[in-house]
Amino acid sequence: MSDAPSKLRIGVLGAANIARSFITALRGSLKVDVCAVASRDAAKGAAFAKEMGVARSFSSYESMLSDPSIEAIYNPLPNNLHAEWSIKAVNAGKHVLCEKPLAANSADAVAMFAAARANDVYLVEAYPYRAQPQTIKLAELVRNNAVGRVQTVQASFGFPLVAPNNIRWDPSLAGGALMDVGCYPLSLVRLVAGERPVRAMAMAQLSESGVDRTFMGTLEFASGLIAQISCSFGTARHRRALIVGDVGTIDTTYFNDTGAEFPPLVHVTRGSGWDAVRETIECAATPGFFAQGEAFHDLVRHGWGAWPGATPAESIDIALALEALAASARTGTAVRISQTAM
Ligand SMILES: NC(=O)c1ccc[n+]([C@@H]2O[C@H](COP(=O)([O-])OP(=O)(O)OC[C@H]3O[C@@H](n4cnc5c(N)ncnc54)[C@H](OP(=O)(O)O)[C@@H]3O)[C@@H](O)[C@H]2O)c1
């Protein structure tokens, strides 16, 4: 009998576009087997499985969740369905890698982790960039005070969304730039801050469908750190962060996939005056969906120490901050963020 560790058998909920990137990246993984897809439409699911070389397709989400051979679920459903189907999956005893943003509101995020704990399974929010060596280096620099005490963070993510019928334009599916892309800079800000923000202020430009098309928000932290996030469906593609401490700066991109097009460079300036020393750190280039999928396997097999991604506490803080920023943009007032909700 082989004592090789078994692959994590993952089923995908919905024939989502992003599932193509997920499945393609993990082909050839020695740790993960994306072995099934479930669709609301049997023919669509079968065609998707054939196209992607996935072994099985299920004609309903429920039937895949009740199959004992599926150990874990990748949930790339529209944002408003993340909570409902992740909770159904953990109640069926499956580990869950849920697409960002984890939930449409913080109460759902809290309920999702409570359900995962009650069923003794892992549930995490997907941010492939968090498994990048570039991000791991960034976190290490901040932790080791490479730029001193961080005072400000500015993080941005935008791209031009041209398709008119995309789920991201639909308010009933929890669309909008803040939910879809704003959670990314927010997750980076939370990683750097290491704590939950206390207050949010924001402004949004709305699209014709009523969701925010461009969004900018400011967050205050108990440490004194102030962070600004911006996101948009109407800008050129970019993903960039500037982290400023009292004795230096870190300037970095934070793409999911790095390589020749998006080189994984972290620019560090050490010092606070004209004599500051500049260094460019070149990290290993990695396909982020592959690194994240293998890290998810490591989490399930070896526990939290093996997971470089967002922790449940971080994901709850991200959900609380998303909620507060949206409320601030709606009301035009500053919104306090509860420090006790969990
Ligand atoms: N981490 C990242 O960088 C990243 C990148 C892109 C997207 N995402 C996230 O992944 C999720 C999916 O995004 P996507 O662009 O791949 O979406 P998509 O192509 O529109 O796919 C969503 C899938 O959800 C299923 N679905 C169930 N109920 C639905 C409904 N009422 N309306 C529409 N679809 C419904 C459909 O599958 P069936 O019809 O087969 O059941 C559909 O194919 C979102 O949460 C998004 O934020 C993350």
Side-chain angles (χ1 to χ4, degrees):
M1 201 173 90
S2 163
D3 58 1
S6 62
K7 286 187 180 182
L8 183 66
R9 294 172 58 78
I10 301 183
V12 178
L13 277 177
N17 201 33
I18 194 63
R20 290 191 163 83
S21 306
F22 181 80
I23 296 164
T24 305
L26 286 162
R27 245 178 233 140
S29 167
L30 298 177
K31 294 184 173 182
V32 168
D33 179 13
V34 185
C35 56
V37 62
S39 173
R40 298 165 299 170
D41 172 335
K44 180 183 173 190
F48 184 87
K50 189 170 173 211
E51 172 201 336
M52 298 308 300
V54 171
R56 294 177 73 188
S57 68
F58 290 86
S59 57
S60 72
Y61 301 161
E62 290 87 352
S63 56
M64 188 170 76
L65 294 188
S66 60
D67 188 307
S69 71
I70 307 291
E71 275 185 279
I73 295 295
Y74 171 56
N75 179 355
L77 296 175
N79 301 339
N80 68 314
L81 298 175
H82 287 178
E84 177 186 343
W85 284 98
S86 292
I87 288 175
K88 284 181 177 163
V90 298
N91 285 343
K94 315 295 185 197
H95 306 284
V96 175
L97 175 64
C98 180
E99 264 306 340
K100 47 51 63 176
L102 183 81
N105 58 63
S106 63
D108 278 356
V110 170
M112 290 163 82
F113 288 118
R117 269 196 309 274
N119 287 287
D120 200 18
V121 291
Y122 292 100
L123 161 70
V124 282
E125 183 177 17
Y127 288 108
Y129 86 95
R130 288 285 304 261
Q132 279 286 344
Q134 183 187 22
T135 312
I136 291 164
K137 175 49 100 180
L138 166 68
E140 180 194 306
L141 288 165
V142 171
R143 207 173 42 246
N144 294 338
N145 296 317
V147 294
R149 190 165 157 192
V150 178
Q151 307 289 329
T152 62
V153 182
Q154 287 168 294
S156 188
F157 179 6
F159 72 99
L161 179 59
V162 287
N165 295 323
N166 193 282
I167 55 169
R168 290 159 181 77
W169 294 120
D170 190 338
S172 73
L173 300 181
L178 176 65
M179 291 299 276
D180 189 63
V181 273
C183 58
Y184 260 94
L186 207 46
S187 70
L188 184 134
V189 163
R190 175 60 180 80
L191 173 68
V192 171
E195 61 178 341
R196 179 182 297 179
V198 295
R199 203 159 64 114
M201 288 186 77
M203 265 185 205
Q205 294 289 336
L206 300 186
S207 69
E208 279 174 16
S209 68
V211 301
D212 51 296
R213 180 173 183 270
T214 298
F215 195 101
M216 189 170 269
T218 306
L219 294 163
E220 183 186 19
F221 292 80
S223 66
L225 186 155
I226 296 177
Q228 210 171 36
I229 63 135
S230 64
C231 53
S232 182
F233 289 154
T235 62
R237 180 172 295 279
H238 69 286
R239 227 189 264 208
R240 188 160 212 100
L242 178 65
I243 296 140
V244 183
D246 44 16
V247 292
T249 67
I250 301 172
D251 186 347
T252 186
T253 52
Y254 55 107
F255 287 100
N256 284 341
D257 289 320
T258 55
E261 196 184 354
F262 303 117
L265 305 177
V266 181
H267 303 282
V268 187
T269 303
R270 296 173 205 265
S272 51
W274 295 116
D275 57 349
V277 177
R278 285 166 184 72
E279 180 192 4
T280 295
I281 301 171
E282 187 165 353
C283 305
T286 312
F289 283 92
F290 174 82
Q292 172 183 253
E294 294 223 322
F296 182 54
H297 160 279
D298 295 347
L299 167 70
V300 170
R301 298 282 186 255
H302 308 298
W304 285 111
W307 176 244
T311 62
E314 284 178 81
S315 290
I316 286 173
D317 291 357
I318 293 164
L320 282 162
L322 285 172
E323 211 165 60
L325 286 164
S328 175
R330 225 172 23 248
T331 60
T333 58
V335 174
R336 292 225 153 261
I337 298 173
S338 165
Q339 297 299 296
T340 51
M342 174 63 203

